[in-house]
Amino acid sequence: MSADSGAGETERVPLEAWPEELRRACQGSRHFREIRVVRETPSTQDVARAMGVGGVAMAWRQTAGRGRLGRAWQDTLEDGLAISVCVPAEVGALASVAAGIAAAIAIEGAIVAACPPAPTVALKWPNDLLIQGRKVGGILVEGDGKLLTIGIGINCSQRQFTGELTNRATSLALHGASVDRLEIAVRLLPELDRWLHTEARTIADEFSRRDALVGTELSFSTASGIVSGIVRGVDVVEGIRVETHDGVITLDPRTSCIVAKLS
Ligand code: BTN
């Protein structure tokens, strides 16, 4: 393929070879049955959702990626990994945390292979992947009662970010790792398959090990107004536990988000 802009031009494996490599990565998978690679799409979420259970969709270029809480996900054309999978709703409430863990492991593996040692990829409740405090990726889970579509976006070859992302985002390239998006996806899919099938206790332990927020003082926007306090931990099913003046409360990730860091 001839990519007309973006870092995709420098990738070692061309688009035509992606489906076969992804199929190989999904051999023996419990959850993934069908691979679709598209040159361009507004959102891989819609492609995977249309494929139904077992679908895996990856885009060379995603033009209108969605983030959590109605935000946009800026893929900056071909610099980022955009991949979505569709699983039955029974996979459950831990799907988003499981996907975050799988993505963290895939990123660490890719960085170690490219330029060791890898920094730890931390998880910032509920769905952000951080390297040294900056966002390198995010997870979006969309459900309709029957199906869950899990989308994973990872910043790969961006050399700079602009606007509000300038001091908040990072990429693998900014950490010295020149890694093809396909390589991350090939590492990610088997991890995702495994973590979607992992028991809750193990998922909770792994999240705690990577938790970026415990002990920090934050303000949250919630359904009942602004809540401030010290993060005491995350219950991976119920939400984040915050110690406020009125005691410890648990905030639901579907209706709450961080608005300020106080310490
Ligand atoms: C967030 O941080 O708010 C979540 C970002 C999720 C982005 C990914 S990219 C692949 C998939 N397609 C989308 O439109 N969004 C997700």
Side-chain angles (χ1 to χ4, degrees):
M1 83 161 293
S2 72
D4 49 42
S5 69
E9 282 175 82
T10 63
E11 281 175 299
R12 290 169 280 263
V13 183
L15 177 68
E16 289 77 8
W18 282 14
E20 191 46 42
E21 296 289 328
L22 294 174
R23 250 172 236 125
R24 224 195 307 270
C26 291
Q27 261 169 18
S29 159
R30 291 181 198 88
H31 298 100
F32 311 135
R33 302 264 166 271
E34 193 190 342
I35 307 290
R36 190 161 302 161
V37 171
V38 291
R39 187 190 191 292
E40 183 170 315
T41 182
S43 169
T44 54
Q45 290 292 95
D46 300 330
V47 181
R49 172 68 188 78
M51 293 169 77
V53 167
V56 176
M58 182 165 160
W60 183 269
R61 177 192 282 237
Q62 180 174 257
T63 54
R66 298 196 287 274
R68 285 186 63 249
L69 303 172
R71 298 179 186 131
W73 173 254
Q74 295 182 24
D75 289 281
T76 56
L77 301 176
E78 297 158 6
D79 292 327
L81 170 70
I83 192 165
S84 300
V85 303
C86 186
V87 294
E90 298 80 68
V91 165
L94 295 186
S96 122
V97 178
I101 293 169
I105 293 171
I107 293 169
E108 287 169 355
I111 297 181
V112 162
C115 64
T120 299
V121 178
L123 298 173
K124 180 178 162 197
W125 179 89
N127 293 93
D128 288 353
L129 296 146
L130 305 185
I131 296 181
Q132 290 163 2
R134 291 184 179 219
K135 181 161 173 169
V136 71
I139 312 292
L140 172 70
V141 178
E142 296 175 317
D144 64 6
K146 285 189 184 155
L147 300 176
L148 290 181
T149 310
I150 307 168
I152 299 165
I154 296 173
N155 299 330
C156 293
S157 51
Q158 290 91 338
R159 291 273 164 202
Q160 60 177 21
F161 292 91
T162 55
E164 59 157 4
L165 297 181
T166 306
N167 297 315
R168 291 178 41 204
T170 192
S171 69
L172 300 191
L174 289 171
H175 286 272
S178 161
V179 181
D180 278 18
R181 294 173 292 170
L182 178 69
E183 184 186 334
I184 307 271
V186 162
R187 289 176 182 275
L188 170 66
L189 288 169
E191 288 295 340
L192 186 54
D193 193 58
R194 180 164 77 93
W195 283 95
L196 287 175
H197 203 70
T198 297
E199 55 159 4
R201 184 72 258 156
T202 308
I203 292 178
D205 289 348
E206 185 62 20
F207 187 93
S208 301
R209 208 175 68 71
R210 295 176 179 276
D211 187 349
L213 293 182
V214 70
T216 56
E217 195 176 1
L218 299 169
S219 282
F220 298 83
S221 160
T222 76
S224 48
I226 297 291
V227 168
S228 299
I230 298 171
V231 176
R232 290 303 177 205
V234 170
D235 176 319
V236 290
V237 177
E238 301 293 334
I240 194 162
R241 285 184 287 111
V242 182
E243 186 177 337
T244 70
H245 291 307
D246 301 323
V248 176
I249 59 170
T250 302
L251 302 179
D252 184 334
R254 289 166 300 183
T255 50
S256 310
C257 68
I258 298 165
V259 286
K261 188 164 189 226
L262 307 174
S263 71

